[in-house]
Amino acid sequence: MTIPGLMQDNELMISSLIRYAAEYHGAMEIVTRTVEGPIHRYTYAEAEKRAKKVSNILINRFDIKQGDRVGTLAWTTYRHFELFYGVSGMGAVLHTTNPRLFDEQITYIINHAEDRILFIDLDFVPLVEKLLPELGAIEQFIVLTDREHMPETTLPDVLCYEELLVAEPSDYDWPIFDERSASSLCYTSGTTGNPKGVLYSHRSTIIHALSAAQNSAYGLSIYDTIMPIAPMYHANAWGLPYVAAMLGAKLVLPGPRMDGENIQGLIEDEGVTFSCAVPTVFSMLFQYLEDSGKKVDALKRTMIGGSAVPKAMTEKFLETYGVSVLQLWGMTETSPLGVVACATPEVDALPAAKRQEVMDKQGRVQFGLEIKVLDDTGVPVARDGVAFGDLWVRGPWVTASYYRSEGGKVLDPDGWFPTGDVVTIDQYGYMKITDRSKDVIKSGGEWISSIDIENLAVGHPKVLQAGVVGIFHPKWEERPILVIKPAPGQTPTPKEILDFLKGKIAKWWMPDAVFIVDEMPLTATGKIKKIALREQYKDCLRD
Ligand code: ADP
């Protein structure tokens, strides 16, 4: 029989992060490219004061209770950062909505969450005006700006964030409550069915942040200057607003502009050492750097995830800009840290080419997260880097079910979550994604990895983006086709691209057709929208 331990049993509270940062790193800066345009800078101490004002506003002005949902349609800025702490800190639930979703998805999400208040960045006021007739439960709209920039709007009784803050006291004692209480809510884009809400808790958020900060994960410390380009509405900017406060590290928030000029400027002016985004954002940065001849000398490491990192991107970062790339695999459902491609002594000791092959994979698990890879019959696949199967995950920062039971029961009887990704795992513990299960291409009974072909294709200097999808084929069931968005000013031919792939992939993996397009359809989180490609080209291989 066990006996109870005799240690203190403090609740893990999100507010403790900002309290710590304000008390011990109070002078450390948070720098923002504002929606209004100029750079704004202040400190963790000031951020905490304003976050407390946010809590006071919610309680005193709007009678928000613990557990109520408070929505945002906002960029990555200091005001949004204040809401991260002010809303969750008092016990309400911060619901960040991705403004790039379709209108119907945005209204669905906001109504499903039953947000009582909506904080809106200036850019999104017209969007909310348009959606207004559908937005049932919202009692109050608040624009995240000052009086001077308040827009003319048809929104009823709209209030100005800065005016509200001025009127409110900044003394507030962060309450302590059950760490398992909900803290924030983020919907996945729901490529099939309705978007589903992932409801994080204070406990899951803190444990995720502790794990993410580790050397074997994001590898951050107070000596880093951290710039999340991954937006605050995409899995909480990958946890970085929490991790940065936990470390007391300088935080740089790029606001509404993810363009190369803004990103490069912030990196150099603010000494950003670490940044993170999906691959498409860094493609834009490369383009800007090439056109302008500018540098990103301050930057030491980038963490890239959300979709597979092309080998060509890793090489260019390292060889041209001296920046090392850390690949992350994750999902909204995993907060998002899943696996990270960190080195180990064993892998470092491999011959260079073999080491690189391993490091180009999605990565290995952190302590705290478990993964298993099962074949079609439910048997674990061999850890040989060849056998593939469905990836399942389990851990204290993985979702147990979706908000309001959307999608029903999601875990298996042992508590494992099905990721929908098809992967291999090698002898060193590194996982490689071959596809999302719904994107897998099955040709003549054999599987083809769309991700591998895409990765190779973007290695061609004339290619900016590449999407591979399986299209119905009368004989082979499905065959891959390749859709290319050229690099600016380039006009690659399908033949050039196919010649480039020759010899690098099995013959029967070679795409049956290559299409060159001006615009690649992208999802709200910046990934290639394969559904749209499949729909557009669905008949292209029929006789
Ligand atoms: P959304 O699809 O709405 O953007 P998520 O960000 O939760 O939602 O997407 C998670 C999915 O993104 C994963 O299941 C996986 O298919 C894909 N993904 C994430 N990181 C990587 C990566 N490094 N390589 C390949 N695919 C990735």
Side-chain angles (χ1 to χ4, degrees):
M1 213 205 341
T2 60
I3 61 167
L6 292 175
M7 304 307 285
Q8 297 183 15
D9 194 11
N10 303 355
E11 307 286 350
L12 302 175
M13 296 276 96
I14 284 179
S15 56
S16 68
L17 298 172
I18 190 72
R19 213 184 53 210
Y20 168 80
E23 187 171 352
Y24 291 99
H25 305 285
M28 190 59 90
E29 278 185 320
I30 301 174
V31 179
T32 301
R33 163 71 63 194
T34 60
V35 178
E36 294 85 352
I39 293 289
H40 171 274
R41 68 182 69 237
Y42 71 169
T43 63
Y44 277 113
E46 288 166 276
E48 190 201 23
K49 275 197 192 131
R50 284 170 52 101
K52 288 181 167 184
K53 285 179 175 229
V54 169
S55 298
N56 280 330
I57 292 170
L58 296 177
I59 298 164
N60 301 334
R61 289 273 315 231
F62 304 113
D63 195 29
I64 292 291
K65 302 273 190 276
Q66 291 190 334
D68 285 349
R69 273 76 60 212
V70 173
T72 62
L73 268 173
W75 297 111
T76 303
T77 71
Y78 69 102
R79 293 187 179 118
H80 208 173
F81 180 85
E82 293 157 5
L83 295 172
F84 263 53
Y85 286 99
V87 175
S88 304
M90 57 129 320
V93 179
L94 178 83
H95 172 211
T96 54
T97 294
N98 182 342
R100 291 192 169 151
L101 293 168
F102 294 131
D103 290 359
E104 306 79 65
Q105 289 176 319
I106 296 177
T107 44
Y108 172 87
I109 286 173
I110 291 176
N111 288 333
H112 189 266
E114 297 173 315
D115 292 341
R116 287 187 55 196
I117 294 183
L118 190 60
F119 287 90
I120 321 160
D121 259 337
L122 273 174
D123 313 31
F124 304 126
V125 171
L127 173 69
V128 180
E129 284 173 346
K130 185 167 59 155
L131 304 181
L132 184 62
E134 318 293 331
L135 295 177
I138 308 260
E139 295 160 31
Q140 184 65 58
F141 296 99
I142 299 170
V143 182
L144 290 163
T145 192
D146 52 21
R147 173 47 55 192
E148 192 192 333
H149 292 91
M150 276 301 277
E152 284 284 324
T153 170
T154 55
L155 293 178
D157 307 321
V158 68
L159 292 172
C160 163
Y161 182 74
E162 290 298 336
E163 273 182 353
L164 283 170
L165 249 61
V166 168
E168 218 53 50
S170 60
D171 52 336
Y172 175 70
D173 287 333
W174 296 115
I176 304 292
F177 43 87
D178 182 354
E179 65 183 17
R180 289 178 170 79
S181 307
S183 57
S184 50
L185 177 60
C186 184
Y187 282 71
T188 62
S189 8
T191 29
T192 53
N194 283 324
K196 298 184 192 69
V198 176
L199 189 61
Y200 306 106
S201 67
H202 286 257
R203 173 185 155 83
S204 75
T205 304
I206 300 272
I207 299 177
H208 175 264
L210 282 167
S211 181
Q214 282 191 79
N215 211 12
S216 54
Y218 302 0
L220 292 167
S221 80
I222 193 169
Y223 290 94
D224 281 297
T225 294
I226 302 170
M227 177 163 71
I229 310 177
M232 282 175 157
Y233 52 74
H234 190 203
N236 298 325
W238 303 0
L240 285 170
Y242 305 116
V243 173
M246 178 178 277
L247 301 171
K250 178 173 171 183
L251 195 53
V252 178
L253 306 174
R257 289 180 45 200
M258 292 179 212
D259 57 281
E261 185 186 15
N262 185 40
I263 298 304
Q264 186 274 340
L266 287 172
I267 290 173
E268 287 301 88
D269 295 348
E270 300 302 331
V272 171
T273 60
F274 178 92
S275 189
C276 72
V278 294
T280 36
V281 169
F282 288 123
S283 300
M284 291 194 293
L285 177 64
F286 282 161
Q287 201 57 52
Y288 175 76
L289 296 178
E290 269 154 42
D291 293 348
S292 66
K294 293 197 173 154
K295 296 261 181 311
V296 282
D297 287 341
L299 193 62
K300 301 282 173 288
R301 291 182 309 129
T302 53
M303 188 166 69
I304 314 181
S307 26
V309 182
K311 201 173 160 51
M313 180 167 277
T314 308
E315 284 170 0
K316 187 177 248 179
F317 255 128
L318 197 60
E319 286 159 21
T320 312
Y321 302 107
V323 176
S324 60
V325 167
L326 188 64
Q327 176 152 199
L328 167 98
W329 168 88
M331 310 178 72
T332 305
E333 288 90 334
T334 61
S335 299
L337 171 58
V339 306
V340 176
C342 280
T344 65
E346 187 186 19
V347 167
D348 276 343
L350 294 171
K354 177 70 187 161
R355 177 187 184 276
Q356 200 51 48
E357 187 190 316
V358 175
M359 295 298 291
D360 285 340
K361 298 184 181 192
Q362 271 70 22
R364 59 203 318 283
V365 279
Q366 289 301 296
F367 169 76
L369 196 86
E370 296 173 273
I371 63 175
K372 67 176 180 184
V373 185
L374 303 182
D375 69 14
D376 282 353
T377 60
V379 174
V381 302
R383 292 193 166 212
D384 58 5
V386 179
F388 54 84
D390 294 314
L391 174 68
W392 297 72
V393 295
R394 187 166 72 175
W397 59 90
V398 177
T399 197
S401 64
Y402 293 104
Y403 187 49
R404 294 175 56 192
S405 305
E406 199 65 45
K409 211 165 165 310
V410 285
L411 304 187
D412 79 0
D414 297 323
W416 293 88
F417 174 84
T419 64
D421 286 324
V422 178
V423 308
T424 62
I425 183 158
D426 67 18
Q427 65 197 98
Y428 313 106
Y430 287 70
M431 177 198 105
K432 180 174 182 215
I433 301 207
T434 56
D435 254 313
R436 285 190 104 157
S437 51
K438 61 180 184 305
D439 295 333
V440 156
I441 304 172
K442 215 166 176 198
S443 176
E446 297 285 348
W447 298 52
I448 294 175
S449 165
S450 64
I451 293 182
D452 279 356
I453 306 175
E454 288 162 2
N455 267 342
L456 281 170
V458 290
H460 192 290
K462 293 186 179 173
V463 173
L464 186 66
Q465 287 164 354
V468 171
V469 288
I471 295 295
F472 171 78
H473 187 282
K475 178 166 177 201
W476 299 110
E477 180 183 353
E478 266 185 348
R479 290 293 302 153
I481 64 151
L482 170 59
V483 182
I484 296 284
K485 177 175 175 178
Q490 300 291 346
T491 48
T493 63
K495 180 167 181 316
E496 264 179 282
I497 304 296
L498 288 173
D499 286 347
F500 180 75
L501 294 179
K502 254 185 216 150
K504 299 192 176 86
I505 49 173
K507 256 197 193 139
W508 60 277
W509 280 34
M510 287 295 275
D512 276 25
V514 178
F515 298 95
I516 313 285
V517 297
D518 291 338
E519 273 318 315
M520 185 69 84
L522 296 181
T523 70
T525 45
K527 306 178 191 186
I528 291 176
K529 204 178 203 169
K530 300 237 175 147
I531 288 193
L533 292 181
R534 272 195 291 268
E535 179 56 30
Q536 189 180 347
Y537 294 99
K538 65 176 187 286
D539 295 324
C540 75
L541 300 181
R542 286 176 201 269
D543 296 334

